[in-house]
Each structure stands twice: as C-alpha cells, then as structure tokens.
Amino acid sequence: MSNTSENIQATLQQALDLGLNKEEFGKIKNILGRNPNFTELSIFSVMWSEHCSYKNSIKWLKTLPRDGDQMLVKAGEENAGLVDLGDDLACAFKIESHNHPSAIEPYQGAATGVGGINRDIFTMGARPIAQLNSLRFGSPDHHNTRNLIKGVVRGIGDYGNSFGVPVVGGEVYFDESYNINPLVNAFSAGIMKKDRFISAISKGVGNSVFIVGSSTGKDGIHGAAFASKDITDDSADDLPAVQVGDPFQEKLLLEASMELSKHNYIIGMQDMGAAGIVCSSSEMSAAGNCGMKINLDLVPKRQNDMKDWEILLSESQERMLVVVKKGHEDNVKDIFDKWDLNCVQIGEVTGDGILQYFMNNKLVAEIPADVLVLGGGAPVYERDYKEPDYFKDLQKFNIDFIEEPTNYKEIAEKLTSSLNLCSRNWVYDQYDSMVGTINMSTNSPSDSAIVNLKGTEKSLFMTVDCNSKYVHADPKIGAMIAVSEAARNIVCSGGKPLAITNCLNFGNPYNPEVYWQFVNVIKGMKEACEKFNTPVTGGNVSFYNQTASNNSEVPVFPTPTIGMIGLGDKKNIMSLHFKGKSDLIYLIGKTRNDIGSSEYLHSSHNIRLSSVPYFNLEEEYMVQTIISDLIKNNLIQSAHDISEGGLFINLLESSMSLNLGFDITTSSELRKDAFLFGESQSRIVVSVSEIHEDKFLDFMKKNNSNFSLLGHVTKGEIRIDDEVFGDIDKYKSIYNTSFSKFIDS
C-alpha cells in the first residue's frame, strides 16, 4: 500500500512490545507481502491476542460437545449462545470474565464487565432479563481483599441497578491464590422471539456500515492485549486500558436495539467490546466473506487529536457496529435519533474481503478480514503440558491421619461463620434482585435462580458453579463436578438442564503445569456435558490469571466457572427449605468416609490442599434422575444438594427460612466429621411429609435407589445424635452477620 498515513515500517521490537512474538511478526509480513505499519501491527496485536483469538485454547475447545436439538446457533459463531425454549421463544446467554480490569480498577472493571455481557445479549435481539456473577477474592487476611470486594460489588450493583436487570444469584469465594488477581465472571441471559434474531454478520456489497451509541475515547485502548498479560507490581501503569461505563447510555442503546429488532432494516450488528472497531469490523466481515471501507474521520469522538490506531482499538463502552441495508439508512437513523444516540455512517461493505481504514484522506491500514479472526488466519497453538508434582502428592491424603474433633458444636459454629459458607447477603443486598418482577426464587429460595417466562407455563432456571479447590486437586474430576453441580442445582429446583456457557480462568498457558490443568478440565467438562446432554454454547477463556513478582509466577486455582440454564414447568418448582415440623428428612445418595478438599478440613485442621472429594458420574446422573422424578410426582416437600460445608450446612440452610430445626442421627459406619462435614458428591437432602412417606418409600424401593432416613424437622432445635447443638436462631444470626462483620472490621 503506497498511500498510508504512516509509511514507516513497524519493527520486531514494536511487535514484541505489543505482545506478539518473532514468528507471529514474520507471519504478518508474509500475509501482507510487506512490512506492516504501526497501525496494522497494533490491529494484529489485539486480534491475535489470547483474549480475541483463543490461540492457545481453541484446539481443545473444539473437542467440547457443541451440538444439540436445543441449539439455534453454532457455538462461538455469534455474540452469545442461543437455545430454543419452545413457545416461539429463545434464550441468549453467555458468561465472560473481566478479571484484569477489576484487579486494577475494581469499580469500573466490574461495572463494564456487566455492561459488556449485557450488550452481547441484546445485540442479538434478546432483552436481558437476569444476571448472575461468580466472584473470587484473595485471603480474607490479605490487605487488599476488602477494598477489592467493595469496589467490585459496588461496580456490579451500580451498573446493573441503573441498567434495570436483576441480579438473581451468584457465588463469592475466597482463597489466597486470588490475592492479587481476583476473578470477576459476569453472566447474563435474555429472552427473544426466535424470529427477531440478529446475527453478527456483514454482507451485501454497497450496504452501509454505521457506528451507533456512545462517542469514542481513549479509554480501553489495547484492553484485549492487557487481558492477555500477567498482573504484576506495575500493572497500575496499564490503567488507561480499563474501560469506563455509562449504564444509562446502555439502557438507551438497549431500547433502540429492541426497536430495531422489530424491523427488517439491517443485515447484522455486533457489540464493540474487546478491540473495538477492529474486532467488530473484522469478525462481521469474515463471517460474511466480505470486506469494508471505513472512514475514521466520521467516527464520533469525545477527545481531540486521536490517532488512527487509537480510534480503531478504543474499547469505549456502549457502542455497536451495524450493517444497514441500502435504502434503510434513514429508518435506522430515526430509531437512534429517537433514543438520542449517535448513529453515523462510517463506511460501506465491499466484496473483496479486505478491510480498509482511512483517515485524513489517506489509507492508514489495509488487511484481509479473514486473517485476523479465529478460524481464519489467527495462529493456533498446542502447548506442551505435564502433570504437576503436587497432583500425586494430593492423592496421598489419608483421612486416618486427621484427628477427629472432640467438640462438634464448636466445629459447627465455626463452619457456619466461614466466609466461604455463610450468607453473602452483604453482597446481594446491594443488587436489585426484583426489578422486572420476574424473580421467582428470592422469597422461596432454591438451589438455582428461577425467573418467570411471562405468558407461558414455563420458568427459566440458571446457575453459576465451580469449586476451584476441587479443580486444583483434580482438574478432570473437578470440572466434572462443576458441570454436575450446576445440573444438580437446576434439577433440585425443578428444572431440566439445557445447555452451558463457561468462563475458563487459568494461569499462564506457556506454563506446562497450568496447561495440563486446562487440558484436563476440558476433558472433564466434555464427559459431564455429554452425560447431561448440555452442549456448550460458547463462553470465554481467561489465561494469565496469576501474580508475577520477584521473577516468579503464582497462578490462581484453575477455575472453570459453569453457567447453566434449564427449563421447567412452573407447577414443578421446588424450594430448598423445610416446610413444617415433623416432616421427615431423607438423604438421596451415599455418604463416603471422605473429607477431601472440604471447607471443614481447611478451617478446622488448617489443611488447605488435599484430594478431590469422592465423585462418580454415573451415580450423579442416577441421583439427579431420581430427584427429578420425585418432584414431578409431588412426593417431596424440599430438595437441597450437599455441597460446600457438607450435610450440616445443607440442613442449616434448609432450616433457616421458616426458623425450623432438625433432629438427625449420624451413621455408625462412618466417621462423624465425614458424615456431617464431608463434601463427597452426588447427595441431595429431601424432606417428606408424613402423609406421603409410604408413597415416597415405595417409589425409592421400586427404583432401587440409594437412600437413608436422617431424622425429622423440629420447631427450631438442632439436635444431632441426641446432643443439643442449640437453636436455629443462634446459627441464623452467625450465618447472616459473619460476612458484614468481616467487611466492617
């Protein structure tokens, strides 16, 4: 290209500074048939970053099950997954990370994470109806943990509340591996009529290309590359890479998009998230086998003297790229004018597959669209991996070396106050959970969030789940547990699992031990998703989650957060709380003599790392099948899965809603601490009314199911093996106040 604004050739050192390697720089020169200029090099650096290209993960991601009758779009081909709900409705849903921005600037990092995931949903034509989030912070004793929590929670709350979409659930956990690098994973789900789907595609030579929404500024430049770097002591210097959000502007953009979806004015639309104009123009063009000519002078800007590469790479929020059918430009402008939003034509579709960006009447960059994107010319790597030494060491854990407690009441109270087990109401009270009046689980808690599909007899179920301690102990089994627990939560609530999205958080992929964790997580997810018929609709891979300091890297625990949706009849909704005194308490599944990776082992014996708890996928599937049938046959009053904290915390959570208690007997065949506090999987506690007991027993015996009677519900007293542990009021107070006391201390 002879008429570029900058004919100065980019150098290898510039490529290295932008996160590319020597081989990639050579590949760029071969693709272009010349040296790139700095603008072109910047474009390649963001589009070939891990965040955009998945170059270190796509080989393994492609092994996940991605097909099913419920799938309406192919995994990864649109802004979010899209699943058929029947009744001419579809659900768009996705989860993504905003880890590094939140580590550096917790408020805006978390806020723009919420904004970005909601834009992915409504850009497809779906109205967001519910949000969840999965948050991981460092040790409670770490000097920065409280500040990070406060900033992240306020950012999520302020943006989500202003935008008007309820936060209906989530999870918050603490571990020292997240001391510097927290994880902020945001999930959003939206509902749409199937015929209003908007694709992220460009086609039709001569069709107009518009930028809509907010003006473009210098915030977020090289944000995608920033997300593909280590967190270091100097990461605060990258603060300009953190975007700044405006939820009120996003609300206007939502309503304009919803109005646009009712008409046949456009070809496609895509959110401008990572890599801004570059990403949306290249991905849309590659999807439609076309090109674009873009005039950067026409882009609405909120800062003067922006360079061409700054405009192209800006990740300013609340913007989208829209390809408009020729002749409908004024129709589209009218809609965005109505909502007082920018709507400016900045280019047109071409048929040559080439992206051309102009500024000041000069061609500043010229690149084939296909070479920039995943599945096109972006590099694909298979990294070396090896089993870490720690893995075999953890398998040697033996419960017999752990001394049994002498004071179980003391242990019970301590667990109830654990920040990984107690109520996170301090967090959730800052989120509006009732806006839109669709939340069906706030006043009647269930294992998953439940929202009302108005105008139908159906409800949508959703959950986010992962126990990273389990995954670290055994990545394959831990990932299987994460998928299974998500399915278990939906089944216990009365739904049928449909599909998943995932946010895969790991350390540096160039570390063979980290990559071994990643590979085995994929293998575990694949096996579990196939078992539950929950295809993967898409998601996000977030590498480089670690602390780099003093020439060492400390990765976070591998954290494959599973976002799952399910569908069910409203009449079959099941809550987790006990309903009345004298109801019988049964355990479905089998308890093992197992305390591996339990919160009890960590908090009471100071053993943070140990073997993964017992898990068998076939057992899990059978238990879930039984629970689903029990609910459909109206044979149980409540259902609540046993997870972190074991049986005791399960029973406590089931008791608190109506201030009831429980009287149970432990098994003489097992250690008492394993029975009460162990976290062996595939176990669900149900309550049964006395009048339904015979039918319940007949059903269980007919199905040859593993179950046992634990005891019965009381008026409020907690009794175990005839020992009084206290009243529910005491434990409820501990459970509900521990988190706020920690924050305020």
Side-chain angles (χ1 to χ4, degrees):
M1 57 187 260
S2 60
N3 57 337
T4 58
S5 62
E6 293 288 343
N7 284 317
I8 301 173
Q9 296 182 349
T11 65
L12 173 60
Q13 187 57 54
Q14 288 175 321
L16 297 174
D17 291 342
L18 290 173
L20 297 163
N21 60 39
K22 182 178 179 181
E23 290 73 24
E24 289 168 345
F25 185 60
K27 185 176 180 178
I28 292 168
K29 290 194 290 184
N30 287 335
I31 288 171
L32 298 178
R34 54 177 172 80
N35 261 56
N37 62 31
F38 181 78
T39 298
E40 292 168 329
L41 187 67
S42 296
I43 290 171
F44 276 102
S45 76
V46 293
M47 292 305 298
W48 285 9
S49 69
E50 182 64 37
H51 189 77
C52 291
S53 74
Y54 295 95
K55 59 188 178 185
N56 290 308
S57 56
I58 190 61
K59 176 186 181 294
W60 287 99
L61 294 176
K62 285 182 175 180
T63 67
L64 292 169
R66 298 180 293 167
D67 296 313
D69 293 339
Q70 62 273 56
M71 300 279 282
L72 294 175
V73 300
K74 291 185 177 181
E77 292 194 357
E78 298 291 347
N79 286 306
L82 193 66
V83 172
D84 194 346
L85 301 180
D87 296 310
D88 199 34
L89 295 176
C91 176
F93 70 110
K94 190 180 182 182
I95 188 170
E96 281 200 341
S97 65
H98 236 221
N99 303 334
H100 286 186
S102 300
I104 303 303
E105 214 299 296
Y107 180 88
Q108 287 293 353
T112 52
V114 171
I117 196 65
N118 280 318
R119 276 197 310 280
D120 282 337
I121 302 305
F122 70 75
T123 303
M124 295 179 68
R127 180 177 289 277
I129 61 167
Q131 301 172 148
L132 300 92
N133 49 72
S134 174
L135 311 177
R136 298 291 195 287
F137 299 102
S139 167
D141 299 327
H142 190 267
H143 66 89
N144 202 32
T145 295
R146 287 181 183 82
N147 289 333
L148 283 171
I149 294 171
K150 291 176 181 178
V152 166
V153 170
R154 191 161 57 86
I156 293 171
D158 284 358
Y159 200 104
N161 296 349
S162 301
F163 184 58
V165 178
V167 177
V168 296
E171 54 180 12
V172 182
Y173 290 107
F174 298 85
D175 185 83
E176 64 187 56
S177 72
Y178 309 107
N179 274 352
I180 303 299
N181 197 141
L183 302 185
V184 178
N185 295 176
F187 172 104
S188 181
I191 301 297
M192 63 185 293
K193 294 283 188 181
K194 285 192 287 188
D195 61 359
R196 292 191 181 173
F197 165 63
I198 301 173
S199 179
I201 194 169
S202 171
K203 58 185 179 181
V205 175
N207 282 330
S208 302
V209 179
F210 278 72
I211 189 170
V212 302
S214 294
S215 297
T216 298
K218 294 186 179 184
D219 53 311
I221 295 172
H222 280 295
F226 171 57
S228 306
K229 296 165 54 178
D230 293 338
I231 295 292
T232 70
D233 295 334
D234 299 320
S235 289
D237 296 339
D238 290 327
L239 189 59
V242 179
Q243 308 95 327
V244 178
D246 182 346
F248 301 104
Q249 189 85 340
E250 177 134 320
K251 176 66 173 174
L252 298 176
L253 194 57
L254 162 66
E255 298 303 335
S257 299
M258 292 297 97
E259 187 168 341
L260 190 63
S261 71
K262 299 176 183 177
H263 303 282
N264 192 30
Y265 299 151
I266 67 172
I267 298 294
M269 179 163 64
Q270 181 163 329
D271 163 45
M272 281 187 200
I277 293 173
V278 162
C279 186
S280 53
S281 59
S282 59
E283 289 184 347
M284 293 179 76
S285 296
N289 297 310
C290 63
M292 286 185 187
K293 288 184 178 179
I294 301 291
N295 185 347
L296 301 179
D297 293 310
L298 301 176
V299 175
K301 295 174 281 290
R302 58 173 180 261
Q303 289 167 279
N304 296 322
D305 302 320
M306 290 186 70
K307 297 180 176 63
D308 50 36
W309 59 270
E310 291 176 322
I311 300 169
L312 283 167
L313 271 60
S314 169
E315 295 179 11
S316 294
Q317 299 291 283
E318 296 86 38
R319 300 178 304 153
M320 299 191 301
L321 200 70
V322 185
V323 176
V324 179
K325 293 179 180 178
K326 199 70 176 175
H328 289 288
E329 291 87 352
D330 288 341
N331 300 119
V332 173
K333 286 179 181 178
D334 288 345
I335 290 174
F336 285 91
D337 285 346
K338 173 184 172 180
W339 295 100
D340 197 25
L341 293 166
N342 288 323
C343 182
V344 179
Q345 183 176 350
I346 61 171
E348 66 178 23
V349 178
T350 62
D352 58 5
I354 305 297
L355 297 171
Q356 293 183 312
Y357 303 106
F358 296 85
M359 190 167 174
N360 299 323
N361 296 315
K362 294 180 180 179
L363 181 63
V364 296
E366 184 176 34
I367 304 173
D370 184 67
V371 304
L372 294 174
V373 302
L374 172 68
V380 176
Y381 299 118
E382 182 179 0
R383 297 296 172 200
D384 294 332
Y385 57 93
K386 69 172 185 176
E387 183 182 286
D389 292 337
Y390 81 79
F391 182 67
K392 283 190 174 64
D393 292 339
L394 295 187
Q395 312 315 306
K396 299 174 184 176
F397 173 78
N398 189 334
I399 191 174
D400 295 334
F401 295 131
I402 305 299
E403 187 178 351
E404 293 190 54
T406 56
N407 188 332
Y408 276 87
K409 286 192 289 187
E410 184 179 296
I411 298 292
E413 291 182 20
K414 187 173 184 178
L415 275 179
T416 306
S417 68
S418 165
L419 295 182
N420 283 331
L421 300 176
C422 71
S423 171
R424 309 336 189 254
N425 53 3
W426 181 90
V427 174
Y428 304 139
D429 286 350
Q430 298 185 54
Y431 305 153
D432 190 337
S433 64
M434 296 304 294
V435 62
T437 64
I438 63 166
N439 190 345
M440 302 179 71
S441 52
T442 293
N443 299 320
S444 184
S446 299
D447 278 357
S448 71
I450 308 171
V451 298
N452 184 14
L453 293 178
K454 294 182 178 180
T456 78
E457 297 303 313
K458 299 173 181 175
S459 295
L460 185 68
F461 300 73
M462 59 191 75
T463 184
V464 288
D465 291 283
C466 180
N467 186 309
S468 58
K469 212 169 356 180
Y470 299 170
V471 184
H472 180 264
D474 188 320
K476 183 178 180 182
I477 297 295
M480 293 169 72
I481 291 174
V483 174
S484 298
E485 185 179 1
R488 196 187 316 144
N489 284 330
I490 286 173
V491 168
C492 284
S493 304
K496 177 185 177 182
L498 279 183
I500 77 162
T501 177
N502 57 71
C503 195
L504 308 179
N505 307 273
F506 292 86
N508 191 331
Y510 292 83
N511 179 335
E513 295 184 352
V514 167
Y515 206 74
W516 177 86
Q517 293 174 330
F518 172 75
V519 169
N520 279 278
V521 160
I522 297 296
K523 291 178 179 178
M525 285 175 56
K526 177 179 186 294
E527 197 168 330
C529 286
E530 288 174 343
K531 188 66 181 179
F532 294 108
N533 190 27
T534 52
V536 180
T537 63
N540 174 230
V541 178
S542 177
F543 283 131
Y544 303 98
N545 292 291
Q546 56 203 13
T547 302
S549 183
N550 299 322
N551 296 317
S552 66
E553 294 180 345
V554 182
V556 301
F557 276 173
T559 310
T561 306
I562 303 299
M564 182 179 287
I565 65 166
L567 193 65
D569 292 336
K570 291 172 186 174
K571 66 177 184 291
N572 288 332
I573 288 176
M574 180 57 60
S575 61
L576 62 83
H577 64 281
F578 296 144
K579 303 303 188 296
K581 176 182 175 294
S582 299
D583 282 354
L584 300 165
I585 304 172
Y586 281 91
L587 173 67
I588 313 295
K590 185 177 180 180
T591 300
R592 266 73 181 186
N593 210 40
D594 183 2
I595 56 173
S597 291
S598 64
E599 187 67 21
Y600 156 70
L601 190 62
H602 187 194
S603 64
S604 296
H605 296 277
N606 201 30
I607 297 176
R608 175 170 167 261
L609 304 177
S610 56
S611 56
V612 70
Y614 175 86
F615 177 77
N616 179 279
L617 186 57
E618 289 298 327
E619 283 186 33
E620 179 72 42
Y621 185 78
M622 290 299 297
V623 166
Q624 292 192 26
T625 301
I626 289 295
I627 291 296
S628 182
D629 290 341
L630 286 169
I631 293 172
K632 290 175 183 175
N633 286 280
N634 297 311
L635 295 177
I636 58 177
Q637 297 284 88
S638 66
H640 186 24
D641 83 309
I642 297 177
S643 55
E644 292 88 356
L647 175 64
F648 180 81
I649 295 299
N650 169 289
L651 294 170
L652 204 62
E653 291 173 341
S654 297
S655 299
M656 287 188 288
S657 283
L658 298 180
N659 294 316
L660 298 169
F662 52 89
D663 184 347
I664 66 165
T665 302
T666 62
S667 171
S668 59
E669 299 176 0
L670 300 170
R671 285 177 47 143
K672 190 169 180 175
D673 56 351
F675 190 88
L676 289 175
F677 311 128
E679 298 177 13
S680 59
Q681 297 294 294
S682 312
R683 296 180 296 152
I684 296 168
V685 171
V686 302
S687 61
V688 181
S689 67
E690 289 181 301
I691 61 173
H692 286 145
E693 185 183 16
D694 288 343
K695 289 182 179 179
F696 169 82
L697 292 173
D698 289 345
F699 178 89
M700 297 301 292
K701 291 172 183 175
K702 179 182 177 182
N703 286 275
N704 197 27
S705 304
N706 208 323
F707 73 105
S708 56
L709 176 66
L710 293 174
H712 65 273
V713 179
T714 70
K715 288 176 98 173
E717 184 180 72
I718 295 174
R719 183 184 291 266
I720 301 174
D721 295 335
D722 289 328
E723 179 184 2
V724 177
F725 273 52
D727 192 81
I728 188 63
D729 288 340
K730 177 178 76 173
Y731 287 93
K732 191 173 179 178
S733 176
I734 297 171
Y735 185 84
N736 285 332
T737 61
S738 293
F739 200 100
S740 58
K741 286 179 178 178
F742 157 70
I743 291 292
D744 295 335
S745 62

